[in-house]
Amino acid sequence: MASEFTKDGSEDQYPPDDYVSGEPLVVAVEEDNSANITHVTINQADFSIRVADTEAGRASVSMLIDKMYAWRGYTGTHRIDSNPNRITLAASDKGEVIGTVTLGIDSSVGILADEVFSDYIDEFRARGSKVCEITKLAFAPHVKSKSALASLFHVIFIYGYYLHECTDIFIEVNPRHRRYYMNMLGFTQVGEMRINPRVNAPAYLLNVNMDYVNEQILKLGGTSMRAAGERSLYPYFFSPREERGIANRLREIG
């Protein structure tokens, strides 16, 4: 599943039903002798999530992104490079990278979405918002896990909100996936569809405010086993208690 863009304009819903059990989460953080994070591992049933902050880790997620983007018909490479304003997470199953997502933090050079949508994003900046973006979201096609996707999103939100004090999150998506993000995560559309030259495909800019995300986590986080009728991904997020624990650990190790 390469979730940002597809060549055709039809809409779909994904991923299908969750295959990961609802067993309790075990959170572990590994640190080397430096002040930097080397690994953040969140084990839940059959997968783990960690920061891809080594050359080997970045190479693994780059291979998955290239594979999934090529499967969707895109050209070029989509290498993940070391960048102080980007955090890349990798989800692994028995050592195999099955999913990845990157958080881009606004800086003096902006974010990737500025290439196409800077006029809209600048309106948020002018109102005092600190913006960030989700990019390079890709999952292997055999992964059918709402929990894996929700866990990746939640750790990204923790980084953006707790560690970088962001107020608004943006994502560029193909028209086919627009409704998914709006229905499942509460994103709203910002402006009209435009062509994204990085993948030569149509894209919408979507936004969600961190206050809304936090409200949904407080209300629904950690309730997947009893959230009958709830269609969003938020019940598959960590509980507020687990979220605070993860945020505190990440603060401790910088």
Side-chain angles (χ1 to χ4, degrees):
M1 178 176 68
S3 58
E4 288 182 85
F5 303 99
T6 56
K7 285 292 187 182
D8 60 87
S10 61
E11 296 198 18
D12 67 359
Q13 298 288 308
Y14 64 89
D17 291 339
D18 190 7
Y19 80 102
V20 178
S21 73
E23 296 176 4
L25 292 162
V26 178
V27 180
V29 180
E30 299 177 14
E31 183 180 12
D32 65 7
N33 293 327
S34 72
N36 296 324
I37 299 169
T38 56
H39 298 294
V40 179
T41 304
I42 302 168
N43 292 323
Q44 184 177 20
D46 295 328
F47 68 92
S48 64
I49 298 173
R50 63 183 62 210
V51 178
D53 61 351
T54 65
E55 283 300 321
R58 288 188 289 268
S60 295
V61 298
S62 296
M63 288 177 61
L64 175 64
I65 295 168
D66 283 342
K67 178 180 178 180
M68 298 315 302
Y69 277 44
W71 182 60
R72 289 292 190 179
Y74 307 132
T75 58
T77 60
H78 305 274
R79 176 177 169 80
I80 299 292
D81 294 314
S82 178
N83 186 312
N85 297 310
R86 293 177 192 160
I87 299 117
T88 296
L89 302 179
S92 301
D93 180 5
K94 300 178 180 66
E96 176 191 2
V97 175
I98 59 171
T100 182
V101 65
T102 293
L103 178 71
I105 307 298
D106 201 16
S107 67
S108 60
V109 298
I111 57 178
L112 291 175
D114 281 315
E115 182 179 3
V116 181
F117 295 104
S118 62
D119 50 340
Y120 293 123
I121 299 169
D122 281 343
E123 292 178 5
F124 284 80
R125 294 183 176 113
R127 297 197 293 264
S129 298
K130 182 172 181 179
V131 305
C132 59
E133 67 178 347
I134 293 172
T135 64
K136 301 291 191 294
L137 175 59
F139 267 84
H142 69 277
V143 177
K144 313 296 183 185
S145 172
K146 289 180 182 177
S147 290
L149 183 61
S151 296
L152 276 177
F153 274 127
H154 199 163
V155 177
I156 283 293
F157 291 147
I158 290 171
Y159 268 105
Y161 182 73
Y162 286 97
L163 275 71
H164 295 278
E165 300 181 339
C166 294
T167 62
D168 286 272
I169 306 172
F170 291 93
I171 187 170
E172 299 171 272
V173 301
N174 185 276
R176 181 175 182 174
H177 299 151
R178 176 182 53 160
R179 293 293 178 190
Y180 180 84
Y181 289 97
M182 296 173 74
N183 294 337
M184 301 296 278
L185 288 165
F187 278 87
T188 59
Q189 181 179 322
V190 182
E192 77 282 1
M193 184 180 71
R194 296 177 179 177
I195 297 298
N196 185 309
R198 296 193 303 277
V199 291
N200 191 30
Y204 281 104
L205 181 68
L206 305 183
N207 163 263
V208 67
N209 185 268
M210 278 290 193
D211 288 340
Y212 173 83
V213 174
N214 288 329
E215 289 172 4
Q216 298 307 302
I217 292 169
L218 287 171
K219 177 182 177 182
L220 298 169
T223 67
S224 61
M225 301 301 290
R226 57 184 187 277
E230 174 60 43
R231 295 188 60 218
S232 79
L233 275 181
Y234 288 108
Y236 297 91
F237 277 44
F238 304 117
S239 70
R241 179 183 60 81
E242 290 168 325
E243 178 191 68
R244 289 191 296 271
I246 295 168
N248 287 338
R249 285 175 174 84
L250 295 180
R251 287 195 189 104
E252 288 172 1
I253 60 177

